[in-house]
Amino acid sequence: MVSSLSIRVPSSAPADYPISYNKLVQLPESVLALIAFFTLFRFFKRYGLRQLLFLDDLQEDSLLIRRGYSRELDKAFRYLAWILFPSFIVEVAHKIIFFSTVKISLPCNVCPGNIPVNPIMFVLVLASWVYRTGVFLLVCVLFRLTCELQILRFEGLHKLFDGCESGAGVIFKEHVRIKKQLSFTSHRYRFFIISCLVTITVSQFGSLWLVLGFNNEKNFFNSGDLVVRGLPF
């Protein structure tokens, strides 16, 4: 927020100045991070991590399902890193161009003139991007984990149908348990999914309008923020 408000555009700046789409990107990213933060806050306050990921209920599952879920847990944060790292490289490249071109103007009583403002703001903006994107993707990873568990349980239920030794009562009990946990998952993530859907849809239409509504040349220099936002989202 400080970065967006303190950037000054020279009067002689060309139409492709890199600030063109910066504020358009910063607002949706911050809104998504805010939604994700309050979602995580509510989750951990009400449920805790074990209940959120249905870890306590795994004792009722077969060894095959427990092993499969353990593998998914191990891979979850690798998925998060695989999404974040390439996007971070592109973000660093764009912000190097951005802060080597723009001028940051802060009040003298806040920041004396002998302090290198641009490098400091560069580091803070990158840290802010990692935090906001990471918080948003963390909720997505948690949602994916709960869905993977239910997929494993559906596969186990399918094997119960195939096995002649399984009674109707066992199959019905397992079906009811899966249905109940799917309902819990749907209700827990409903606010996050709908809010993010609305935010991303509105911001994408806004981006599309700006990109197609003006005839100036679009390149990584002046619209790289849109590229970086599109990579993780």
Side-chain angles (χ1 to χ4, degrees):
M1 187 183 299
V2 172
S3 169
S4 297
L5 295 176
S6 59
I7 293 173
R8 295 293 177 264
V9 182
S11 56
S12 59
D16 63 348
Y17 207 64
I19 197 176
S20 303
Y21 303 103
N22 180 261
K23 292 182 180 179
L24 172 68
V25 170
Q26 296 303 321
L27 181 60
E29 282 187 359
S30 298
V31 172
L32 290 174
L34 192 65
I35 294 169
F37 175 83
F38 282 110
T39 301
L40 288 174
F41 177 78
R42 182 171 59 91
F43 281 171
F44 288 113
K45 183 179 180 181
R46 182 176 300 181
Y47 308 114
L49 185 60
R50 292 188 62 85
Q51 187 178 351
L52 181 65
L53 296 178
F54 301 112
L55 296 178
D56 295 328
D57 296 330
L58 280 178
Q59 298 175 355
E60 303 177 23
D61 292 300
S62 65
L63 180 61
L64 187 64
I65 293 177
R66 291 200 299 269
R67 287 179 176 174
Y69 195 45
S70 178
R71 286 194 299 269
E72 291 299 328
L73 285 170
D74 291 339
K75 292 189 295 184
F77 291 97
R78 287 204 296 270
Y79 289 144
L80 183 60
W82 290 341
I83 298 173
L84 272 179
F85 186 70
S87 306
F88 180 71
I89 297 300
V90 179
E91 173 73 359
V92 170
H94 181 261
K95 285 300 179 282
I96 289 175
I97 298 173
F98 186 84
F99 282 102
S100 63
T101 309
V102 300
K103 180 181 180 182
I104 305 295
S105 178
L106 295 174
C108 295
N109 56 348
V110 175
C111 184
N114 58 347
I115 294 180
V117 181
N118 278 38
I120 295 174
M121 196 66 69
F122 169 76
V123 174
L124 293 178
V125 165
L126 287 180
S128 171
W129 181 88
V130 171
Y131 173 77
R132 288 181 296 172
T133 309
V135 166
F136 172 77
L137 293 178
L138 179 59
V139 183
C140 298
V141 166
L142 293 175
F143 177 67
R144 182 184 182 278
L145 273 174
T146 56
C147 293
E148 286 291 340
L149 175 59
Q150 304 313 321
I151 291 173
L152 290 170
R153 285 175 173 163
F154 272 120
E155 292 174 354
L157 182 63
H158 183 265
K159 291 180 180 179
L160 288 178
F161 278 109
D162 289 341
C164 299
E165 69 278 1
S166 302
V170 175
I171 295 175
F172 180 74
K173 181 180 177 181
E174 181 65 13
H175 176 267
V176 170
R177 187 167 74 105
I178 295 174
K179 181 180 178 182
K180 186 182 297 184
Q181 292 193 357
L182 283 173
S183 177
F184 288 158
T185 302
S186 173
H187 282 78
R188 287 173 184 176
Y189 289 91
R190 180 172 51 191
F191 169 77
F192 174 77
I193 293 173
I194 295 175
S195 301
C196 290
L197 176 65
V198 172
T199 303
I200 292 174
T201 302
V202 172
S203 67
Q204 292 295 329
F205 273 113
S207 303
L208 187 65
W209 179 76
L210 281 180
V211 168
L212 299 180
F214 297 93
N215 294 324
N216 58 312
E217 182 183 355
K218 310 301 184 301
N219 50 47
F220 185 71
F221 179 71
N222 68 349
S223 54
D225 281 310
L226 297 177
V227 177
V228 175
R229 184 182 65 175
L231 286 174
F233 300 147

